[in-house]
Amino acid sequence: MSAISECRTIGLQGDERSSDELDELVALARMIAFAKGAAEDIDLAGAMHCLGMALNEVLREIGDGPHDGLADVIATKGSICLN
């Protein structure tokens, strides 16, 4: 395996994204979902709302395609306020 990752592009919503960019968006979504869960644990309503909006935007940027490591984040999407 090479130290340099293969840079392939993926078409999402008319945009071309490299697999590295998509991986970064997935990692960001996972971090936001974790922070939102932590905010829920200590009942920080304002933080939960802001993190929910941020997560919605990152998931919108990612698109609807299959993404490794994102199933648990998408499963929590139903608990996010979409308004």
Side-chain angles (χ1 to χ4, degrees):
M1 176 178 261
S2 172
I4 300 173
S5 65
E6 176 185 337
C7 185
R8 57 186 169 92
T9 58
I10 300 170
L12 294 174
Q13 301 172 355
D15 295 333
E16 293 292 320
R17 296 200 196 292
S18 71
S19 61
D20 289 340
E21 290 172 330
L22 189 58
D23 290 344
E24 289 176 8
L25 285 171
V26 169
L28 180 60
R30 293 181 58 77
M31 287 188 288
I32 293 170
F34 177 81
K36 184 176 181 293
E40 288 172 354
D41 289 345
I42 55 176
D43 199 29
L44 294 174
M48 290 185 314
H49 176 72
C50 292
L51 291 166
M53 289 190 313
L55 184 56
N56 279 338
E57 289 303 311
V58 172
L59 291 175
R60 185 184 59 76
E61 284 291 319
I62 291 171
D64 293 329
H67 308 293
D68 295 335
L70 195 57
D72 56 336
V73 174
I74 292 173
T76 63
K77 186 177 179 182
S79 65
I80 300 169
C81 178
L82 298 174
N83 295 328

